[in-house]
Amino acid sequence: MPFSSGLVDYAYGSEIAGLLRPIATDIEDMIGEFIADFYSKLQKSFPVKVIIDRLTPKEFDRLCYRQAEHLRQLLNPDLDHQTQLTQALRIGRVHALIGVEMLWLIDAYSMYQQKLTTMLAKVAQNPEQEYLIARAINRRIFFDLEAQSAGIRQVEGELSDVLMNIYLCVQQAENVTDLFRGATNAFVSIDGIVACFVARRDSRDVLEIEMTNGLSGQAYISAIQDGTIAPMRMLETGEPNEGPASRAWRSGKITIIDSYLLDLSMEPWRSVGKALGFRSSVTIPLVDDNGQTFAIFSAYSSWPGFFSGPGRKTFLENIQLTLSAAAMKHSLERVIPQKTRQLCAQMLKEKRVKMLYQPIVDLSDGKLLKLEALARLQGAGDRLVLPAEFLSALGSDELLKLFKLGLEQVCGDFGNWSKEGLGVPVALNMPPHGIADKRYHDILFQTLKQANISPNLIELEVLENRELVDTANRDSFFDHLREAGIKIIQDDLGAGHSSLLRMDSVPFDGVKLDQGLVLRAAQRDPVRALEFIYHLTHLAHSLRIPVTIEGLEYDGLIEAAAILGGDYGQGYGIARPMPADSLSAWQAGFNYRVNVTQPHTPLGALAAHLSWKRQLTTIHLWPEMLDTFIRVPCGAQKYINQCSLTDSRLQDLLDSNKAFARDNPTGQQFERTSQEICNILGDMSRKSVVSPDVA
């Protein structure tokens, strides 16, 4: 802060010190009355009164004490310029943090100056002394005001930096864990923010804290967990003990508590909040496109009124808009409490990772084709924690560590398999951001080199859930993998429209059908699910891409997948995930019983009928071939014969269906009987199957 050297010379030094020392005792006797009278007049100004009213009596007494100390410093004979600027800058920051506006400060200093001039006139020994002292003190007040103004601007700049850091976090976050972790990290860098957290509503109508930060954040969660304070519950309007979190969630509006210690609605949480240094709070609801709240972002400051200060409304609204839009772009899966996130991170830190392997077989003959490596975390008592419990709790750095630890374990298992003759490739999952992250590339090739493992024994399944903007980097990464002999598999085909676009734009070496799509065949609508499997499989084949069908939990699904043209199969009906040392025993005992020309399950017969119907739509264009095609026993007929159902309603419908096919294979009667056949086989399949638990 530049100041005129002349102004500085008049405000400090031996001359002014010599004038102030003789009256120091008289000044000290008047300070108490001066401060009391000053604040009495300040409290008549509405804006300042609002700020003072946020203070507890003890806090107000402390304010008066500090103001008296500040006045003593201002009148200190030995005060130097740098000391005053340093302390005034700090006071300016405090004023900014509690919500004092610059115009209010100027008005207050004007009154302060007038009162101080009157006080000094009473103790000055002559007019010349009064003039010289007044000139020095007025210039000190000017310097004070300038430095405090700089402190206020400093805080404003820091808040702008926080917004910028949150914007950067939004751009760089690979998942919602990264997003909320980065946002809370940025927020707690604000002077006085002692706790910050993100919470979502669980099935019990409790707002479960999923991410916390700040010196007091974990202590607040611990107080909830041990029952010292009640959890944040969703309550109806006007119910007793409804806190700001509930109000913000229901209204979708930012909710501010300016005085945590005086606000009546904070009674259930006040004692703990006071101990943790909470003096004000804000609850920012994150809302979707329909204005419905899906999460809250809450923060606590050690400064009363912090969230109502100048410019804070715009600051908080920017955070609400930015985080709401960013979070909606990521997958918001089940609510994961902060404690669970910490446990998962700790298990990963301690390298408690266990790789299991699930066989993938050729659906034409059941031969073992490759293995998929599936990561588990080893919890208490060696309980294996499933990916559904921990994956969404991990940030991008933790996912990278999981990939590294998993790859190292796979490389170690290759040595034992080679001795047993199990020289098949292993597929590992890689998150989408790994394609654009050089660290994955380096870890992959360095680990394989150190373990002396051929790259052609590794496949990468890309778990893409969003489009990759950096296509040049993606293509370069993929090209390098292929040059080394590593295959790239697109996972979860059919989970979304974007995956179909990627299959066309990226030359994958294989695709895997979304197992959720497959499992629906055993649940709600077998016909619709098998139709999807058929079309997606043939779409991939038209691009010369082999298809692996996941979720094959029982014989009917395995048989249907093979009949519909799937190349490879994976699921509990083939093998559950198993430790590396169990693979040899599984392979020795595995018995593949599928014959695509002879269905032996209702679902297989349904798949055969759908496939026969598709072939019929082409054959009917050549009438001379139609009769021969219809007379040859179809898959559904072979199933009927095998199960001795020739006297059944199913047989009658199939006979009618074939007769209608000769007359008009696109007519209503043909479609009606075909649909009835599908309904009967679908019902038979649902009744004959109890699907295993998914893990």
Side-chain angles (χ1 to χ4, degrees):
M1 293 172 291
F3 292 94
S4 164
S5 59
L7 290 177
V8 173
D9 291 343
Y10 283 122
Y12 313 97
S14 58
E15 182 179 358
I16 186 62
L19 294 173
L20 287 173
R21 279 198 186 93
I23 61 173
T25 301
D26 294 332
I27 290 174
E28 179 63 33
D29 292 341
M30 300 173 69
I31 284 179
E33 181 181 348
F34 177 93
I35 296 299
D37 186 53
F38 175 69
Y39 276 107
S40 175
K41 287 183 169 58
L42 267 187
Q43 287 182 329
K44 295 178 182 178
S45 169
F46 174 73
V48 179
K49 183 179 186 303
V50 169
I51 292 176
I52 292 176
D53 285 347
R54 294 169 182 162
L55 306 178
T56 64
K58 184 178 292 186
E59 288 173 330
F60 181 71
D61 289 344
R62 191 180 304 121
L63 174 65
C64 292
Y65 172 79
R66 288 176 177 171
Q67 187 62 252
E69 288 298 302
H70 177 250
L71 180 57
R72 289 186 179 95
Q73 181 213 44
L74 200 63
L75 299 172
N76 184 355
D78 300 317
L79 180 64
D80 64 85
H81 184 54
Q82 188 56 51
T83 299
Q84 182 183 4
L85 293 187
T86 300
Q87 296 189 16
L89 183 71
R90 179 183 57 80
I91 293 172
R93 290 183 58 84
V94 171
H95 282 145
L97 294 168
I98 64 174
V100 174
E101 294 192 28
M102 193 61 205
L103 287 177
W104 306 352
L105 197 60
I106 292 172
D107 288 343
Y109 261 97
S110 177
M111 182 175 65
Y112 194 85
Q113 185 179 27
Q114 292 172 11
K115 288 184 61 60
L116 195 53
T117 300
T118 302
M119 185 182 81
L120 291 172
K122 294 178 181 180
V123 296
Q125 297 175 357
N126 55 64
E128 182 181 3
Q129 184 189 45
E130 180 183 346
Y131 166 75
L132 294 174
I133 291 175
R135 182 180 66 173
I137 298 305
N138 287 341
R139 288 175 183 177
R140 289 185 181 186
I141 288 175
F142 172 76
F143 296 148
D144 219 59
L145 193 57
E146 279 285 290
Q148 290 201 38
S149 175
I152 291 173
R153 292 194 303 272
Q154 196 177 77
V155 170
E156 291 171 350
E158 289 168 2
L159 292 179
S160 296
D161 289 343
V162 168
L163 269 183
M164 183 57 65
N165 288 336
I166 289 178
Y167 294 153
L168 290 174
C169 164
V170 166
Q171 297 298 319
Q172 297 169 359
E174 300 295 346
N175 52 44
V176 75
T177 296
D178 281 349
L179 175 67
F180 290 150
R181 181 177 291 159
T184 56
N185 279 340
F187 215 87
V188 297
S189 69
I190 298 172
D191 190 351
I193 297 297
V194 293
C196 181
F197 63 75
V198 179
R200 283 193 290 154
R201 185 178 185 175
D202 66 14
S203 59
R204 303 166 298 159
D205 271 350
V206 170
L207 289 172
E208 184 73 63
I209 296 176
E210 296 190 272
M211 184 75 64
T212 190
N213 214 318
L215 296 175
S216 300
Q218 187 55 54
Y220 188 74
I221 292 180
S222 298
I224 294 176
Q225 292 172 343
D226 65 22
T228 303
I229 55 175
M232 297 175 291
R233 294 188 178 277
M234 298 299 300
L235 301 174
E236 296 298 326
T237 305
E239 281 194 48
N241 297 333
E242 185 190 22
S246 178
R247 296 201 301 273
W249 186 284
R250 285 187 295 95
S251 68
K253 296 180 180 178
I254 297 171
T255 302
I256 294 172
I257 301 296
D258 282 322
S259 180
Y260 200 91
L261 302 184
L262 298 178
D263 194 297
L264 295 178
S265 68
M266 302 314 301
E267 177 60 33
W269 304 277
R270 181 176 294 125
S271 60
V272 169
K274 180 180 180 181
L276 296 178
F278 298 173
R279 293 301 178 267
S280 62
S281 71
V282 65
T283 305
I284 305 173
L286 305 187
V287 297
D288 60 22
D289 293 338
N290 297 317
Q292 297 298 310
T293 304
F294 61 84
I296 61 167
F297 184 96
S298 294
Y300 300 84
S301 173
S302 59
W303 302 104
F306 170 78
F307 300 103
S308 294
R312 305 296 152 76
K313 182 175 185 292
T314 301
F315 172 76
L316 297 172
E317 287 174 347
N318 271 330
I319 289 176
Q320 182 182 38
L321 290 171
T322 301
L323 291 184
S324 293
M328 290 301 294
K329 293 180 181 178
H330 295 283
S331 176
L332 289 168
E333 300 178 1
R334 65 185 184 87
V335 175
I336 304 176
Q338 170 77 2
K339 182 178 180 180
T340 302
R341 292 179 182 274
Q342 290 173 331
L343 288 174
C344 291
Q346 186 64 29
M347 284 185 278
L348 199 56
K349 183 178 180 180
E350 296 173 358
K351 300 183 178 181
R352 289 155 61 187
V353 174
K354 174 75 172 178
M355 300 304 288
L356 300 183
Y357 300 92
Q358 190 169 29
I360 298 173
V361 303
D362 190 321
L363 288 175
S364 65
D365 57 13
K367 181 180 178 180
L368 177 64
L369 179 76
K370 57 184 174 181
L371 303 165
E372 181 179 3
L374 301 166
R376 304 290 189 261
L377 296 183
Q378 291 181 298
D382 288 333
R383 182 183 78 88
L384 294 183
V385 182
L386 301 176
E389 299 178 64
F390 69 79
L391 272 183
S392 55
L394 304 181
S396 56
D397 288 344
E398 293 153 334
L399 289 172
L400 176 68
K401 185 167 187 177
L402 179 65
F403 179 81
K404 182 178 186 294
L405 292 173
L407 179 62
E408 289 173 347
Q409 197 171 135
V410 168
C411 288
D413 290 333
F414 267 122
N416 296 326
W417 291 331
S418 60
K419 299 173 185 177
E420 301 171 1
L422 283 171
V424 295
V426 175
L428 289 93
N429 292 306
M430 185 173 74
H433 64 268
I435 296 171
D437 190 338
K438 187 177 182 297
R439 296 177 299 172
Y440 279 85
H441 174 279
D442 293 344
I443 284 173
L444 176 62
F445 285 98
Q446 288 171 7
T447 305
L448 292 177
K449 183 178 180 179
Q450 290 170 0
N452 196 27
I453 300 297
S454 173
N456 61 20
L457 289 173
I458 294 293
E459 295 184 1
L460 294 178
E461 294 187 5
V462 182
L463 298 169
E464 291 198 67
N465 53 16
R466 59 180 173 82
E467 281 302 305
L468 291 172
V469 178
D470 189 358
T471 55
N473 191 33
R474 175 200 68 189
D475 293 343
S476 174
F477 184 81
F478 282 179
D479 289 344
H480 193 190
L481 293 178
R482 287 197 183 86
E483 289 172 4
I486 297 174
K487 291 183 177 180
I488 305 135
I489 311 298
Q490 180 186 356
D491 202 4
D492 288 349
L493 177 65
H497 176 64
S498 61
S499 64
L500 298 177
L501 296 178
R502 285 194 297 273
M503 186 173 68
D504 181 51
S505 62
V506 181
F508 287 105
D509 298 298
V511 296
K512 299 182 79 171
L513 262 61
D514 174 33
Q515 68 171 313
L517 178 67
V518 175
L519 292 175
R520 281 194 289 274
Q523 298 165 357
R524 298 188 298 275
D525 193 342
V527 176
R528 185 173 178 82
L530 294 187
E531 289 277 13
F532 269 114
I533 292 172
Y534 175 87
H535 286 296
L536 290 175
T537 298
H538 283 265
L539 174 62
H541 285 170
S542 69
L543 298 172
R544 299 181 180 179
I545 301 175
V547 177
T548 299
I549 300 178
E550 295 184 283
L552 304 183
E553 294 192 349
Y554 54 91
D555 288 348
L557 275 173
I558 299 170
E559 188 174 71
I563 290 171
L564 292 173
D567 299 291
Y568 316 125
Q570 176 181 2
Y572 280 14
I574 296 170
R576 288 176 174 266
M578 63 188 74
D581 56 10
S582 299
L583 285 167
S584 292
W586 168 82
Q587 190 174 33
F590 180 61
N591 180 25
Y592 190 68
R593 296 172 295 173
V594 173
N595 180 351
V596 294
T597 65
Q598 174 60 68
H600 69 276
T601 68
L603 200 62
L606 175 56
H609 180 69
L610 292 174
S611 182
W612 179 83
K613 183 181 174 183
R614 292 293 174 187
Q615 295 174 55
L616 185 66
T617 60
T618 301
I619 294 293
H620 90 277
L621 298 175
W622 291 273
E624 65 277 9
M625 299 176 59
L626 181 62
D627 187 66
T628 301
F629 177 76
I630 292 174
R631 280 191 290 105
V632 173
C634 63
Q637 183 62 64
K638 291 179 180 179
Y639 172 75
I640 289 172
N641 294 341
Q642 178 181 289
C643 297
S644 302
L645 297 174
T646 51
D647 292 329
S648 66
R649 169 67 174 162
L650 183 60
Q651 180 69 72
D652 293 341
L653 283 170
L654 186 59
D655 291 341
S656 298
N657 185 246
K658 289 186 175 183
F660 292 138
R662 287 188 176 91
D663 296 335
N664 183 6
T666 61
Q668 291 184 354
Q669 290 178 311
F670 172 78
E671 289 295 338
R672 176 183 58 79
T673 51
S674 181
Q675 185 60 52
E676 289 190 54
I677 290 169
C678 290
N679 291 341
I680 289 175
L681 290 172
D683 288 341
M684 292 172 65
S685 175
R686 279 190 292 263
K687 292 175 182 177
S688 66
V689 172
V690 177
S691 181
D693 293 333
V694 178

